[in-house]
Amino acid sequence: MVSKPTHASATLTIFKPVTFPTAPHTEVTEKGDIVYSEVVRENVRKLEAYVEEMASGDTISTVNIQKVQDDVLKLWTVVKSQPGISQDQKNRIKALYEGVVRSLRKGPEQIRTRTRSRRSSSQFLRPQISAVTPVSADKVPLLHLKRKVGSNWEYSSNLTGVYLDILHEIATSGTTFKDKNALLTGVGKGSIGVEILKGLLSGGAHVVITTSRYNRATVEYYQSIYQSFGARGSALTVVPFNQGSKQDVEALVDYIYATLGLDLDYILPFAAVPENGREIDGIDDKSELAHRIMLVNLLRILGAVKNKKASRHFVTRLTQVILPLSPNHGLFGNDGLYSESKISLETLFNRWNSESWGEYLCLAGAVIG
């Protein structure tokens, strides 16, 4: 979203989204071409309304319980008439049938809407909001959080509720990134990263971004973004960078900590390389480079930041890393090693517990797509 800064006082820079939320739109032309665009969401003119729409969840379809019971009974009648099924097997099937019928006869639970107490935080303004965003117990909001339970990721209504409340606060009264430092990769025109950059600058952050095309046109493009969105106290540093290079990774992190004298609060490593049209028999050098950029050297960036923080004994200021995950685990195909790169990032959540860098970095995964 394109945003602009507002100023609540002489010392606090506030970021508040002000443009219309958009939705994805896909059309197929007469020639069979797929055309993607972003369109303004119907009846959603402000971010507050968008948060409420995301909290609503999918519509729960109604089930004709009587019809289901009748169908199960017919199936049981067929099973009983089969001479090849032993009596012991029939008894077990009957017990299963009776259990299904009993569960269907139970009335549906009433929708429970929890009212959550508001959290205290020095990082967010405390607006007087008459109601928080409701989260129904029997629905999973379209925008939600999961937490690790054993070896599985499960939907957390508590975390989702807190998250949606914070989004609602930001939408109504804004937030600040004053005195925050961020490293952001993958900030090309039209990218998710460039919209994040605008928000961070609007909130007063010092943002370090990387580009593999360091030339006059690129510098002027980012300069125009800063002129439009840079708020009081914000700063933008553009660094030439080849994420396929181990040497560049080490030099980048050294520049941030040694030359700029910053300690990173956020890392958003969103750089990606498309690999369209490559099946398993078409894995080539570009696929290997993409894998190196999206996985191997992404891990090296995190490792280098950990080393800088450890050498300076920064153990009380964890750097928040937002990992760019994907629901594409090979479902689409024809994309080289893209899904392998994304799946492998998920192992970091286990390594955060099993390795030694948990006191320097904290992780969150954004499943995009």
Side-chain angles (χ1 to χ4, degrees):
M1 61 192 74
V2 178
S3 310
K4 66 180 182 181
T6 59
H7 303 288
S9 69
T11 58
L12 188 61
T13 302
I14 302 301
F15 162 66
K16 182 178 179 181
V18 296
T19 55
F20 295 151
T22 61
H25 180 73
T26 304
E27 290 184 0
V28 180
T29 67
E30 294 180 353
K31 296 181 179 179
D33 297 328
I34 299 176
V35 180
Y36 174 85
S37 61
E38 291 282 333
V39 298
V40 175
R41 288 180 176 269
E42 186 177 355
N43 300 323
V44 181
R45 299 180 61 85
K46 294 183 178 180
L47 187 60
E48 300 99 296
Y50 172 78
V51 175
E52 293 171 0
E53 183 179 76
M54 293 297 101
S56 64
D58 291 321
T59 303
I60 298 178
S61 58
T62 58
V63 178
N64 188 332
I65 296 178
Q66 185 60 51
K67 183 178 185 303
V68 174
Q69 290 179 345
D70 291 342
D71 290 341
V72 172
L73 179 59
K74 291 177 183 178
L75 178 61
W76 168 239
T77 302
V78 172
V79 169
K80 288 194 299 183
S81 64
Q82 298 301 312
I85 300 178
S86 68
Q87 188 60 43
D88 180 62
Q89 290 174 323
K90 289 180 181 180
N91 290 338
R92 281 185 286 176
I93 294 174
K94 181 181 179 181
L96 177 62
Y97 155 72
E98 291 174 344
V100 171
V101 172
R102 280 196 303 270
S103 65
L104 289 173
R105 284 174 180 166
K106 293 180 180 179
E109 294 183 357
Q110 297 297 317
I111 296 177
R112 302 184 304 276
T113 301
R114 299 184 296 108
T115 301
R116 299 175 300 281
S117 60
R118 300 175 59 80
R119 69 187 188 93
S120 60
S121 170
S122 61
Q123 295 300 314
F124 294 89
L125 299 181
R126 311 312 302 165
Q128 297 300 318
I129 302 174
S130 58
V132 295
T133 307
V135 177
S136 298
D138 64 342
K139 291 184 179 181
V140 176
L142 298 174
L143 190 61
H144 60 271
L145 296 183
K146 293 183 178 181
R147 69 185 310 165
K148 196 74 173 290
V149 179
S151 60
N152 299 318
W153 288 94
E154 296 183 1
Y155 162 66
S156 171
S157 60
N158 289 333
L159 290 178
T160 298
V162 172
Y163 177 54
L164 291 173
D165 282 351
I166 293 172
L167 284 183
H168 198 278
E169 291 178 9
I170 293 173
T172 53
S173 296
T175 188
T176 181
F177 298 112
K178 182 177 180 292
D179 298 326
K180 299 298 183 182
N181 304 312
L183 170 62
L184 183 57
T185 67
V187 199
K189 290 184 179 180
S191 66
I192 296 174
V194 79
E195 300 303 322
I196 296 173
L197 170 63
K198 294 173 183 178
L200 290 171
L201 291 175
S202 298
H206 184 165
V207 187
V208 179
I209 64 173
T210 64
T211 177
S212 59
R213 297 180 176 87
Y214 194 84
N215 52 43
R216 183 184 181 89
T218 298
V219 171
E220 289 178 347
Y221 170 68
Y222 291 123
Q223 187 177 45
S224 68
I225 290 177
Y226 182 75
Q227 290 171 346
S228 299
F229 298 95
R232 182 186 297 113
S234 67
L236 176 61
T237 303
V238 183
V239 181
F241 179 60
N242 173 13
Q243 194 163 321
S245 165
K246 179 176 182 292
Q247 181 179 356
D248 271 25
V249 167
E250 295 170 348
L252 170 66
V253 176
D254 187 67
Y255 175 73
I256 292 172
Y257 277 84
T259 303
L260 297 180
L262 305 178
D263 180 27
L264 293 173
D265 296 284
Y266 315 116
I267 300 176
L268 298 101
F270 280 22
V273 177
E275 302 176 66
N276 299 333
R278 288 170 173 80
E279 294 191 357
I280 60 172
D281 58 350
I283 303 298
D284 55 12
D285 53 353
K286 183 177 180 180
S287 296
E288 293 183 29
L289 175 62
H291 195 65
R292 185 180 179 90
I293 289 174
M294 293 188 289
L295 177 64
V296 178
N297 281 0
L298 190 158
L299 300 183
R300 283 180 171 147
I301 291 174
L302 303 187
V305 170
K306 177 262 179 182
N307 286 337
K308 293 296 183 183
K309 295 175 77 74
S311 65
R312 290 163 171 76
H313 306 290
F314 292 162
V315 294
T316 58
R317 297 187 73 253
L318 275 72
T319 297
Q320 175 68 67
V321 181
I322 306 297
L323 296 174
L325 306 181
S326 173
N328 177 16
H329 291 177
L331 295 175
F332 302 149
N334 293 279
D335 51 11
L337 296 175
Y338 179 87
S339 58
E340 284 73 15
S341 300
K342 296 301 181 180
I343 292 173
S344 297
L345 288 178
E346 297 179 15
T347 65
L348 284 172
F349 295 104
N350 291 325
R351 297 173 69 173
W352 186 86
N353 285 311
S354 62
E355 297 184 352
S356 62
W357 43 271
E359 60 183 345
Y360 304 105
L361 308 172
C362 57
L363 307 175
V367 181
I368 305 170

